[in-house]
Amino acid sequence: MRNAELHRYRAASAALESLRGPSAVAALARLLSSSALRALGAAASPLGRALSVYVWLGRSLGATVAFVVHSLLGTAGWLSGTAFQRDTVVGRWWRRNFGLQVKRWHVTMVMLLTAGAVTSLVGAVRARYDVRLIQRRALQRRLAAAGSYAEWQRYAAALRELDEDSLAPRCGAGAVAAHAKH
Protein backbone atom coordinates (compact mmCIF):
# COMPACT_ATOMS: atom_id res chain seq x y z
CA MET A 1 0.00 0.00 0.00
CA ARG A 2 1.42 3.35 -1.02
CA ASN A 3 1.56 6.31 1.36
CA ALA A 4 -1.28 8.17 -0.38
CA GLU A 5 -3.54 5.12 -0.17
CA LEU A 6 -2.59 4.59 3.48
CA HIS A 7 -3.42 8.24 4.24
CA ARG A 8 -6.86 7.89 2.61
CA TYR A 9 -7.47 4.63 4.45
CA ARG A 10 -6.56 6.16 7.81
CA ALA A 11 -8.75 9.22 7.12
CA ALA A 12 -11.71 6.98 6.27
CA SER A 13 -11.08 4.87 9.38
CA ALA A 14 -10.95 8.00 11.54
CA ALA A 15 -14.24 9.18 10.06
CA LEU A 16 -15.83 5.82 10.84
CA GLU A 17 -14.39 5.83 14.36
CA SER A 18 -15.97 9.25 14.98
CA LEU A 19 -19.39 7.71 14.25
CA ARG A 20 -18.93 5.22 17.09
CA GLY A 21 -18.55 7.88 19.78
CA PRO A 22 -21.23 9.26 22.10
CA SER A 23 -21.97 12.38 20.03
CA ALA A 24 -25.42 13.29 18.76
CA VAL A 25 -24.26 12.98 15.15
CA ALA A 26 -23.04 9.44 15.83
CA ALA A 27 -26.36 8.52 17.43
CA LEU A 28 -28.25 9.98 14.47
CA ALA A 29 -26.04 8.09 12.00
CA ARG A 30 -26.61 4.82 13.88
CA LEU A 31 -30.36 5.47 14.00
CA LEU A 32 -30.54 6.21 10.28
CA SER A 33 -28.46 3.18 9.33
CA SER A 34 -30.51 0.84 11.52
CA SER A 35 -33.72 2.34 10.10
CA ALA A 36 -32.52 1.77 6.55
CA LEU A 37 -31.50 -1.81 7.32
CA ARG A 38 -34.81 -2.51 9.05
CA ALA A 39 -36.74 -1.16 6.05
CA LEU A 40 -34.61 -3.23 3.69
CA GLY A 41 -35.23 -6.36 5.74
CA ALA A 42 -38.98 -5.70 5.81
CA ALA A 43 -39.04 -5.23 2.03
CA ALA A 44 -36.94 -8.32 1.32
CA SER A 45 -39.33 -10.82 2.92
CA PRO A 46 -42.34 -10.26 0.61
CA LEU A 47 -40.06 -10.02 -2.43
CA GLY A 48 -38.52 -13.38 -1.59
CA ARG A 49 -41.96 -14.91 -1.22
CA ALA A 50 -43.10 -13.45 -4.54
CA LEU A 51 -40.02 -14.86 -6.27
CA SER A 52 -40.55 -18.28 -4.72
CA VAL A 53 -44.16 -18.29 -5.98
CA TYR A 54 -42.88 -17.25 -9.41
CA VAL A 55 -40.47 -20.20 -9.45
CA TRP A 56 -43.10 -22.53 -7.95
CA LEU A 57 -45.43 -21.72 -10.84
CA GLY A 58 -42.93 -23.41 -13.14
CA ARG A 59 -40.93 -20.50 -14.49
CA SER A 60 -37.35 -21.20 -15.40
CA LEU A 61 -34.45 -19.60 -13.59
CA GLY A 62 -33.71 -17.42 -16.64
CA ALA A 63 -37.30 -16.18 -16.80
CA THR A 64 -37.21 -15.44 -13.07
CA VAL A 65 -33.97 -13.48 -13.41
CA ALA A 66 -35.38 -11.58 -16.41
CA PHE A 67 -38.51 -10.76 -14.40
CA VAL A 68 -36.44 -9.49 -11.47
CA VAL A 69 -34.20 -7.36 -13.69
CA HIS A 70 -37.21 -5.95 -15.55
CA SER A 71 -38.96 -5.13 -12.27
CA LEU A 72 -35.89 -3.51 -10.74
CA LEU A 73 -35.25 -1.38 -13.82
CA GLY A 74 -38.90 -0.33 -13.93
CA THR A 75 -38.82 0.59 -10.26
CA ALA A 76 -35.56 2.52 -10.70
CA GLY A 77 -37.06 4.40 -13.64
CA TRP A 78 -40.16 5.30 -11.69
CA LEU A 79 -38.14 6.39 -8.64
CA SER A 80 -35.96 8.66 -10.78
CA GLY A 81 -39.00 10.67 -11.89
CA THR A 82 -39.87 14.01 -10.34
CA ALA A 83 -42.00 13.86 -7.22
CA PHE A 84 -43.79 17.16 -7.76
CA GLN A 85 -44.82 18.20 -11.26
CA ARG A 86 -43.99 21.71 -12.39
CA ASP A 87 -47.57 22.91 -12.53
CA THR A 88 -48.59 21.79 -9.02
CA VAL A 89 -48.62 24.13 -6.05
CA VAL A 90 -46.03 22.06 -4.17
CA GLY A 91 -43.75 21.86 -7.20
CA ARG A 92 -43.83 25.63 -7.79
CA TRP A 93 -43.32 26.37 -4.09
CA TRP A 94 -40.40 23.93 -3.78
CA ARG A 95 -38.66 25.23 -6.89
CA ARG A 96 -39.19 28.89 -5.89
CA ASN A 97 -37.87 28.44 -2.32
CA PHE A 98 -35.15 25.83 -2.78
CA GLY A 99 -34.38 25.72 -6.49
CA LEU A 100 -34.04 21.95 -6.38
CA GLN A 101 -35.88 19.21 -8.15
CA VAL A 102 -37.21 16.55 -5.79
CA LYS A 103 -37.19 13.02 -7.14
CA ARG A 104 -39.49 10.22 -6.04
CA TRP A 105 -36.57 8.33 -4.53
CA HIS A 106 -35.89 11.34 -2.27
CA VAL A 107 -39.44 11.22 -0.95
CA THR A 108 -39.33 7.41 -0.63
CA MET A 109 -36.05 7.51 1.31
CA VAL A 110 -37.37 10.20 3.67
CA MET A 111 -40.54 8.16 4.26
CA LEU A 112 -38.57 4.95 4.96
CA LEU A 113 -36.13 6.69 7.31
CA THR A 114 -38.96 8.46 9.13
CA ALA A 115 -40.89 5.21 9.54
CA GLY A 116 -37.77 3.47 10.84
CA ALA A 117 -36.99 6.30 13.25
CA VAL A 118 -40.57 6.35 14.58
CA THR A 119 -40.53 2.56 14.96
CA SER A 120 -37.24 2.72 16.87
CA LEU A 121 -38.54 5.51 19.07
CA VAL A 122 -41.74 3.63 19.89
CA GLY A 123 -39.73 0.51 20.68
CA ALA A 124 -37.39 2.45 22.97
CA VAL A 125 -40.28 4.11 24.80
CA ARG A 126 -42.06 0.78 25.14
CA ALA A 127 -38.93 -0.92 26.46
CA ARG A 128 -38.44 1.89 28.96
CA TYR A 129 -41.98 2.23 30.32
CA ASP A 130 -43.82 -1.05 29.70
CA VAL A 131 -44.35 -2.61 33.14
CA ARG A 132 -44.51 -6.15 31.80
CA LEU A 133 -41.16 -5.78 29.98
CA ILE A 134 -39.55 -4.28 33.07
CA GLN A 135 -40.81 -7.21 35.18
CA ARG A 136 -39.63 -9.68 32.55
CA ARG A 137 -36.12 -8.20 32.45
CA ALA A 138 -35.93 -8.23 36.27
CA LEU A 139 -37.00 -11.88 36.36
CA GLN A 140 -34.46 -12.77 33.67
CA ARG A 141 -31.70 -11.07 35.69
CA ARG A 142 -32.75 -12.97 38.82
CA LEU A 143 -32.90 -16.19 36.80
CA ALA A 144 -29.34 -15.67 35.58
CA ALA A 145 -28.09 -14.82 39.08
CA ALA A 146 -29.89 -17.68 40.86
CA GLY A 147 -27.67 -19.45 43.37
CA SER A 148 -29.54 -22.73 43.56
CA TYR A 149 -31.79 -24.87 41.42
CA ALA A 150 -34.79 -24.24 43.68
CA GLU A 151 -34.32 -20.48 43.36
CA TRP A 152 -33.89 -20.80 39.57
CA GLN A 153 -37.03 -22.95 39.37
CA ARG A 154 -39.04 -20.35 41.32
CA TYR A 155 -37.94 -17.52 38.99
CA ALA A 156 -38.54 -19.69 35.90
CA ALA A 157 -42.10 -20.41 37.06
CA ALA A 158 -42.71 -16.70 37.68
CA LEU A 159 -41.33 -15.87 34.23
CA ARG A 160 -43.50 -18.54 32.61
CA GLU A 161 -46.56 -17.21 34.44
CA LEU A 162 -45.78 -13.67 33.30
CA ASP A 163 -45.44 -14.86 29.69
CA GLU A 164 -48.73 -16.78 29.89
CA ASP A 165 -50.48 -13.74 31.33
CA SER A 166 -49.21 -11.62 28.46
CA LEU A 167 -50.38 -14.18 25.87
CA ALA A 168 -53.86 -14.73 27.35
CA PRO A 169 -55.54 -11.51 26.08
CA ARG A 170 -54.20 -12.05 22.55
CA CYS A 171 -54.67 -15.80 22.12
CA GLY A 172 -57.39 -16.83 24.54
CA ALA A 173 -57.06 -19.03 27.59
CA GLY A 174 -57.37 -22.31 25.63
CA ALA A 175 -54.46 -21.50 23.34
CA VAL A 176 -52.25 -20.57 26.28
CA ALA A 177 -53.12 -23.81 28.11
CA ALA A 178 -52.40 -25.86 24.98
CA HIS A 179 -49.11 -24.01 24.50
CA ALA A 180 -48.11 -24.59 28.14
CA LYS A 181 -48.43 -28.37 27.70
CA HIS A 182 -45.72 -28.42 25.03
Side-chain angles (χ1 to χ4, degrees):
M1 189 179 278
R2 295 188 321 236
N3 284 339
E5 293 171 349
L6 184 61
H7 180 68
R8 274 184 292 206
Y9 173 75
R10 286 184 179 161
S13 295
L16 288 176
E17 284 297 322
S18 68
L19 290 179
R20 293 191 182 122
S23 70
V25 173
L28 180 64
R30 285 193 304 272
L31 176 68
L32 291 177
S33 65
S34 69
S35 299
L37 288 175
R38 188 174 295 162
L40 183 63
S45 177
L47 291 177
R49 288 185 183 140
L51 287 177
S52 64
V53 166
Y54 198 75
V55 170
W56 183 74
L57 290 174
R59 304 291 184 184
S60 68
L61 184 60
T64 304
V65 170
F67 169 72
V68 169
V69 168
H70 177 73
S71 299
L72 288 175
L73 289 176
T75 303
W78 182 82
L79 285 172
S80 66
T82 58
F84 309 119
Q85 299 301 324
R86 292 180 178 264
D87 56 346
T88 61
V89 174
V90 175
R92 285 193 303 263
W93 177 83
W94 189 268
R95 210 172 29 264
R96 182 178 62 239
N97 291 321
F98 299 107
L100 300 173
Q101 188 176 26
V102 178
K103 302 284 186 176
R104 288 184 187 120
W105 74 266
H106 296 131
V107 175
T108 304
M109 189 60 66
V110 167
M111 287 173 37
L112 288 174
L113 291 174
T114 303
V118 168
T119 303
S120 296
L121 183 65
V122 167
V125 168
R126 183 173 173 257
R128 173 97 171 141
Y129 296 109
D130 189 7
V131 175
R132 202 176 298 266
L133 285 176
I134 293 170
Q135 290 173 346
R136 190 175 204 303
R137 281 195 302 266
L139 281 172
Q140 285 175 333
R141 279 194 303 272
R142 290 179 185 155
L143 195 65
S148 67
Y149 179 73
E151 189 179 359
W152 180 89
Q153 198 172 22
R154 187 176 66 234
Y155 292 136
L159 185 61
R160 188 179 317 113
E161 184 179 330
L162 183 68
D163 286 343
E164 287 173 2
D165 289 345
S166 68
L167 284 176
R170 288 182 264 165
C171 300
V176 173
H179 178 70
K181 289 179 184 177
H182 296 288

